[in-house]
């Protein structure tokens, strides 16, 4: 994709949020790749997951090592072909990479929002993204797509704005979190909020960050992103020094990996954003919101065509969860293609190179490109 | 079982440990139930798991609510029938319920051992338990049994002292931890050691306990002890107040349950003991220790008869892990009965009432009782 430049869109109209509060004004950081055609019909919105952002593909001029998180999927000749599509990545509201969030300055106090930043939902994100679409002159997306929490946003688009997208690509998703999923999120949140450096969310004023909590949250997250088999393949029970140390020093390679991932994450991610993202995940439940508990009834609002894809080894959002979505779409006679991809990596497979997976997305979007040409 | 009284056995001979250190003297807290027959042939040793102790059955005179952790399994007329067997429960070395451990006074400093207490292994526990058997005049156990980490001790008994037990009951076990198992343990340990109140393990001197870390460790543990289905059945996505709070207050019932379990545990368990127990789990690997990487070769040292039992919904130590043990026993033509019990509760099923499970243990031990009568 080459060098890309992030942009900021400012919004002055207040945004009403699910929680009852509203944001008087806000901004969204975004990036675009490819060219919008004259019919404005070739736009694809890509929504990010828990720790992602708007930097999907390419690198930055001032930091060539910072490659976008879906660079293997998005670019010229890639499955999301930027020679044919105008692709948009956006940092969600509440994020920590340029969009208005808890680490932004609250105009009413001139200090970071911190704990005062409202909890936002997947619906709120989709409303804000629709504002960005207006700003960019896009009435209707050729497709909205994402993996994991990003896929939930694609689903929500089909419900909140059924006439504004032709296709939804829902990858490695679930129609709502399981009790176990919520449990893991809660442990991660408690790790953060009980870190003495959290200061009730207002750690910015103390010039510290709740590093310990974020580190634990990320270590735990990583275990759920990988399959048991993938961890065994990659790390096994290998010892760094070849023998037991009988101490608390790192000794198994998996320990080293998790500590490293935790340390790295705690340096780059905002703790309040992490809390907001996990809460948005917990809250997502279109069946309860608009279906009276019935997913099929909820999805009766949708008009898009769907590609649903899952990965065999994903135990966070297993294929069975994707099949719930497929069933509800079929109940509504909506066009849906479903693929269960045989991949060993677990939930993270949606981010990885996998020929079947990439060919699937390429083939599906090839049809979409022909439709909007 | 009625009221029982814990006892303490003191050992003055030094105990050499796997780590290379030795303990000059130590004590073990234990309880016994039933009567040792004149042939001394009806003794059963029950080994505890991660957070268990020697209080297996009955209650205490001064605390009638403190019921033993396997009271549904052990007692007159119960599967481990104390009318027929002399049953021993022992708190492992490194524990925090009466046996010598990190919260005990280190005689060389007159202060709690803390971080100076050595990391002990399953082998070390078994050696110490053999000392207790000597102390009680038991040359050979009718059976050694346990669930989870307790089952690993039963396996180790068959390898360390093949002539000192007739039967090993290995319930909800694995021949070694998986990479994922170690990963979860490591997150729990990091939660404890990064708690500012841990003080490198010497928190006793500061009159604090690393409550936050222990609480997180236990919350995480609980998720792995329950099956996804059991959590859904028990808690679902139910909200305490019936609606979303858009705050960090507890809102889903599963959050309330995990916080409660974490809080309770952090009040009653020693943080250093928790670290020692998880390390002992990580280290356990008889195939690597004495089999050159081959479990069948390791188990060629065993002479006992085995009952191996697993639970269908246990994802911490799945039935497939138990079948590895069974295969290795069969490779050695050792007598083994194997049962995969259809139970929805997950790993914790080994502690719960389940007719098939209790009948299985009762039937197996009935045969054992006839042998040693």
């Amino acid at each position: 994709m080459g060098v890309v430049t992030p942009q900021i869109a400012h919004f002055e109209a207040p945004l009403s949020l699910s929680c009852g509060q509203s944001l008087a004004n806000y901004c969204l950081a975004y990036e675009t790749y490819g060219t919008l055609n004259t019919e404005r019909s070739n736009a694809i919105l890509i929504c990010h997951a828990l720790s992602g952002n708007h930097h999907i593909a390419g690198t930055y001029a001032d930091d060539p090592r910072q490659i976008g998180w879906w660079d293997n999927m998005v670019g010229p000749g890639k499955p999301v072909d930027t020679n044919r599509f105008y692709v948009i990545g956006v940092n969600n509201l509440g994020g920590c990479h340029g969009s208005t969030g808890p680490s932004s300055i609250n105009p009413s106090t001139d200090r970071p929002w911190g704990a005062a930043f409202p909890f936002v939902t997947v619906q709120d994100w989709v409303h804000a993204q629709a504002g960005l679409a207006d700003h960019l002159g896009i009435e209707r997306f050729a497709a909205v797509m994402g993996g994991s929490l990003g896929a939930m946003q694609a689903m929500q688009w089909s419900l909140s704005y059924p006439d504004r997208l032709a296709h939804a690509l829902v990858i490695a998703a679930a129609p709502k979190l399981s009790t176990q999923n919520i449990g893991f999120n809660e442990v991660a949140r408690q790790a953060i909020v009980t870190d003495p450096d959290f200061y009730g969310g207002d750690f910015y004023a103390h010039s510290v960050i709740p590093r310990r909590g974020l580190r634990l949250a990320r270590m735990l997250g990583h275990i759920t992103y990988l399959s048991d088999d993938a961890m065994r393949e990659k790390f096994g029970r290998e010892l760094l020094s070849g023998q037991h140390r009988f101490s608390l020093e790192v000794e198994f390679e998996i320990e080293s990996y998790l500590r490293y991932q935790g340390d790295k994450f705690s340096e780059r991610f905002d703790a309040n954003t992490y809390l907001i993202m996990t809460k948005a995940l917990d809250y997502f439940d279109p069946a309860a919101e608009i279906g009276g508990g019935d997913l099929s009834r909820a999805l009766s609002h949708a008009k898009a065509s769907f590609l649903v894809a899952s990965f065999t080894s994903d135990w966070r959002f297993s294929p069975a969860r994707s099949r719930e979505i497929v069933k509800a779409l079929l109940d509504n006679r909506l066009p849906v293609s479903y693929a269960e991809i045989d991949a060993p990596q677990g939930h993270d497979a949606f981010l990885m190179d996998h020929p079947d997976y990439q060919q699937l997305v390429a083939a599906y979007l090839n049809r979409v490109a022909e439709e909007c040409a």
Side-chain angles (χ1 to χ4, degrees), chain A:
Chain A
M1 197 67 245
V3 170
V4 296
T5 309
Q7 297 172 73
I8 302 280
H10 296 272
F11 299 88
E12 301 300 330
L15 183 74
S16 297
L17 302 171
S18 306
C19 65
Q21 294 183 55
S22 72
L23 282 173
N25 55 68
Y26 58 98
C27 67
L28 293 176
Y30 68 100
E31 289 179 12
T32 69
Y33 321 89
T35 310
L36 188 62
N37 62 15
T38 44
E39 299 82 10
R40 300 176 171 272
S41 65
N42 69 332
I44 292 183
L45 175 68
I46 294 184
C47 306
H48 69 75
L50 189 60
S51 60
N53 56 39
H54 52 291
H55 184 40
I56 291 172
T59 61
Y60 290 146
D62 61 352
D63 186 358
R65 288 170 316 164
Q66 208 178 323
I67 300 164
W69 57 267
W70 227 358
D71 191 79
N72 59 357
M73 188 63 94
V74 177
K78 293 184 181 174
V80 186
D81 189 347
T82 51
N83 290 330
R84 306 171 85 183
F85 290 109
Y86 176 64
V87 179
I88 301 161
V90 56
N91 185 214
N92 281 331
L93 211 58
C96 53
H97 293 97
S99 293
T100 301
S103 52
S104 310
I105 297 301
N106 179 349
S108 63
T109 62
D110 271 336
R111 289 198 310 244
W113 279 91
F117 197 86
F119 281 89
V120 291
T121 63
V122 170
Q123 290 101 308
D124 295 332
W125 286 335
V126 166
H127 292 315
Q129 289 160 2
L132 179 64
D134 295 341
H135 173 81
L136 296 171
I138 297 157
E139 175 52 33
R140 187 167 188 260
F141 284 107
V144 178
M145 68 186 285
S148 192
L149 178 54
M152 291 167 168
Q153 294 162 62
M155 275 183 75
Q156 187 62 47
W157 260 94
S158 77
L159 302 175
S160 297
Y161 298 101
D163 295 314
R164 295 194 70 174
L165 74 167
H167 294 268
L169 281 70
V170 174
I171 301 167
K176 63 184 176 195
L177 292 204
S178 71
T179 318
Q180 187 187 73
N181 294 148
I182 295 174
F184 281 125
N185 277 349
E186 173 65 359
V187 177
R189 281 191 294 266
Q190 288 297 308
I192 291 169
V193 304
T194 63
D195 185 326
D197 287 340
F198 181 64
Y199 289 102
D202 294 317
F203 50 88
Y204 315 97
H206 298 81
S207 303
V208 291
I209 55 173
R211 204 182 303 272
R212 289 171 289 242
L214 263 171
R215 177 174 177 271
L216 291 169
R218 187 60 164 183
M219 290 175 76
L220 177 53
H222 261 279
I223 299 177
T224 69
Y225 305 153
L226 298 175
S227 71
D228 193 8
D229 281 346
M231 287 182 97
R232 175 162 37 243
E233 280 287 307
K234 208 167 166 182
F235 307 106
R237 294 176 50 93
E238 296 307 310
L239 298 164
L240 285 182
S241 71
Q243 57 185 18
H244 293 317
R245 288 187 166 159
F246 298 105
S247 79
L248 292 168
E249 296 302 302
V250 64
E251 52 182 343
F252 290 97
E253 285 189 1
I254 181 62
E255 296 174 324
S256 168
Y257 171 79
L258 293 174
R259 290 189 196 184
Y260 173 77
Q261 294 293 340
D263 288 337
K264 210 173 60 169
F265 188 72
S266 69
E267 296 294 332
R268 74 169 177 86
F269 210 82
D270 179 72
N272 285 310
T273 292
Y274 200 84
L275 298 174
I276 285 173
M277 297 280 162
T278 59
K279 273 292 186 188
L281 269 166
D282 289 4
Y283 288 151
F284 182 72
D285 187 355
E289 292 283 339
I290 57 168
D294 180 353
L295 186 62
S296 298
R297 202 191 299 174
L299 286 174
S300 70
H301 297 266
K303 297 179 180 173
S305 299
F306 284 78
L307 173 64
V308 178
S310 67
F311 299 92
T312 48
S313 60
D314 184 349
W315 64 277
R316 182 176 169 85
F317 297 154
S318 72
R321 315 299 312 279
S322 282
R323 288 195 298 264
E324 294 174 39
I325 300 169
V326 172
K327 186 191 170 297
L329 293 169
L330 290 174
D331 286 345
N332 288 293
R333 298 171 191 275
L334 284 161
V336 52
S337 303
Y338 173 59
E340 202 164 300
I341 297 148
D342 194 0
Q345 298 96 339
H347 188 60
D348 262 1
F350 88 85
L351 293 167
M352 294 184 188
D353 287 333
H354 190 292
D356 291 355
Y357 169 41
Q358 295 187 300
Q359 241 174 311
L360 173 79
V361 174
Y364 192 90
L365 289 181
N366 185 47
R367 220 179 54 191
V368 175
E370 283 166 7
E371 278 173 25
C372 64

